[in-house]
Amino acid sequence: MIPKEELIELKTKLLPAGAEGIIEYLSMHAEQLELTQISLENVPSLIIGRLGMIARLPVDGKMQKISQPPEILKALQRFFEKPNLLYLFINLPDLPVPAEVVAIIEEIGARAERRESLRKQIDDALDMRDRLAFERAARELARLGEVQRDGAWRIRTRLER
């Protein structure tokens, strides 16, 4: 069995044409899927690679190779009418993420960590009844909120270029 989240995570990879709908359908039958690291010949299987897909599924009592997404989907629908097990072999590269997007994500993560740290400082200052520490952390948290609003505008501007 494959966790549904793992199947949905495949959408973050470079998918071949037509694979997104098939992955959606497979996620509904995750309990009937088994991941494999080798390509199996005489068992029901689906291979998803960067350049395409190949399914080996029983059609009219014989194992057939199917490579067109609409035909694969129809064959999978017939296959999953019974409690069958499908072996899934996946060979997909990750989506290339531009350096600017990585930098923005890291910046947002750092701000979120700082915000949590400031909230903890505020809670600690309240517990210790330290007014100066509370005011300092509260001011910095408010300033961080201003930076976040300004930063969201800068992020949108950078991404629109």
Side-chain angles (χ1 to χ4, degrees), residues 3-13 23-24 27:
K4 212 178 237 191
E5 297 79 30
E6 199 171 317
L7 281 171
I8 293 178
E9 189 178 298
L10 290 176
K11 291 182 179 184
T12 65
K13 308 257 184 198
I23 290 171
E24 287 280 330
S27 70

Side-chain angles (χ1 to χ4, degrees), residues 24-42:
E24 287 280 330
Y25 183 74
L26 290 175
S27 70
M28 294 186 290
H29 297 279
E31 68 281 349
Q32 292 176 264
L33 300 174
E34 185 72 38
L35 275 180
T36 180
Q37 300 299 320
I38 56 173
S39 180
L40 302 167
E41 286 291 324
N42 295 318

Side-chain angles (χ1 to χ4, degrees), residues 17-74:
E20 193 165 321
I22 290 174
I23 290 171
E24 287 280 330
Y25 183 74
L26 290 175
S27 70
M28 294 186 290
H29 297 279
E31 68 281 349
Q32 292 176 264
L33 300 174
E34 185 72 38
L35 275 180
T36 180
Q37 300 299 320
I38 56 173
S39 180
L40 302 167
E41 286 291 324
N42 295 318
V43 297
S45 62
L46 175 62
I47 300 169
I48 302 176
R50 173 64 195 113
L51 299 176
M53 299 176 284
I54 296 176
R56 289 188 185 107
L57 295 168
V59 177
D60 297 328
K62 292 190 246 177
M63 199 65 82
Q64 289 191 348
K65 286 185 183 179
I66 308 165
S67 61
Q68 296 303 312
E71 294 170 9
I72 291 173
L73 186 57
K74 286 178 189 173

Side-chain angles (χ1 to χ4, degrees), residues 25-155:
Y25 183 74
L26 290 175
S27 70
M28 294 186 290
H29 297 279
E31 68 281 349
Q32 292 176 264
L33 300 174
E34 185 72 38
L35 275 180
T36 180
Q37 300 299 320
I38 56 173
S39 180
L40 302 167
E41 286 291 324
N42 295 318
V43 297
S45 62
L46 175 62
I47 300 169
I48 302 176
R50 173 64 195 113
L51 299 176
M53 299 176 284
I54 296 176
R56 289 188 185 107
L57 295 168
V59 177
D60 297 328
K62 292 190 246 177
M63 199 65 82
Q64 289 191 348
K65 286 185 183 179
I66 308 165
S67 61
Q68 296 303 312
E71 294 170 9
I72 291 173
L73 186 57
K74 286 178 189 173
L76 286 172
Q77 289 167 341
R78 284 191 308 267
F79 179 77
F80 285 124
E81 287 174 352
K82 297 177 184 169
N84 294 316
L85 181 65
L86 178 73
Y87 290 90
L88 189 57
F89 178 84
I90 300 167
N91 184 19
L92 295 171
D94 290 329
L95 281 172
V97 179
E100 293 132 350
V101 173
V102 171
I104 290 170
I105 291 171
E106 288 172 353
E107 184 180 328
I108 291 169
R111 267 194 248 137
E113 285 178 23
R114 182 64 183 146
R115 194 170 25 259
E116 286 305 310
S117 170
L118 288 169
R119 286 183 180 138
K120 184 176 180 340
Q121 287 177 22
I122 289 171
D123 287 344
D124 292 346
L126 287 171
D127 290 343
M128 296 181 341
R129 300 182 190 275
D130 185 344
R131 183 181 182 131
L132 290 175
F134 170 81
E135 288 174 350
R136 195 173 333 125
R139 273 194 310 272
E140 189 173 343
L141 186 60
R143 192 171 48 249
L144 188 61
E146 290 173 16
V147 169
Q148 182 178 350
R149 285 188 291 279
D150 180 51
W153 177 82
R154 284 186 298 129
I155 289 168

